[in-house]
Amino acid sequence: MNQATPLLRQQCYINGAWGSANDGRTVPVHNPSNGELIGHVPSLSAEEVRTAIQAAEAAGVGWAALTTKARAVILRRWFDLCMEQQEALAQLLTLEQGKPLAEARGEIAYGYIRHQNQCSINLIR
């Protein structure tokens, strides 16, 4: 199994915590370019998926209550963290999607630069 990036997680993130399926079931994830096993992700039950959706909906209420400026500050911090981890994110994208590393780097940078521009617009409102 290739764990070239420190960002590779083999759990799901629900309601602020990383976890596995209650019954421990997983699904293998393979690099589509070479078939190499990257890792496994939880295979959640229907009830676990409903719980995740409910947690996301509840989090959305709090998020929606924030001002545009407050959300922009949080998203700007997220942008900064992503840019600090740009290489690791590009490696993960390459593993999961089989993209050439140079293309993955460009995609990460482009996506986050667009995000930065949007945050800057919201910060001045």
Side-chain angles (χ1 to χ4, degrees), residues 4-10 18 82 85-90 92:
T5 174
L7 300 181
L8 182 64
R9 294 296 299 250
Q10 297 187 67
W18 290 99
C82 288
Q85 296 295 322
Q86 183 178 3
E87 184 63 21
L89 287 167
L92 187 57

Side-chain angles (χ1 to χ4, degrees), residues 30-34 38 92-101:
H30 296 273
N31 181 327
S33 70
N34 61 17
I38 299 170
L92 187 57
L93 192 58
T94 296
L95 285 173
E96 290 180 343
Q97 297 183 7
K99 288 181 183 234
L101 187 56

Side-chain angles (χ1 to χ4, degrees), residues 18-94:
W18 290 99
S20 301
N22 289 339
D23 62 9
R25 289 186 310 142
T26 63
V27 176
V29 178
H30 296 273
N31 181 327
S33 70
N34 61 17
E36 178 184 352
L37 179 66
I38 299 170
H40 294 82
V41 294
S43 179
L44 301 178
S45 68
E47 183 57 36
E48 289 170 305
V49 171
R50 278 190 287 279
T51 298
I53 292 169
Q54 290 167 352
E57 288 174 341
V61 172
W63 180 255
L66 295 174
T67 65
T68 302
K69 191 173 210 172
R71 288 191 300 249
V73 168
I74 292 167
L75 290 173
R76 176 55 201 226
R77 178 64 184 135
W78 176 71
F79 164 81
D80 291 339
L81 291 169
C82 288
M83 292 311 296
E84 288 171 17
Q85 296 295 322
Q86 183 178 3
E87 184 63 21
L89 287 167
Q91 289 173 9
L92 187 57
L93 192 58
T94 296

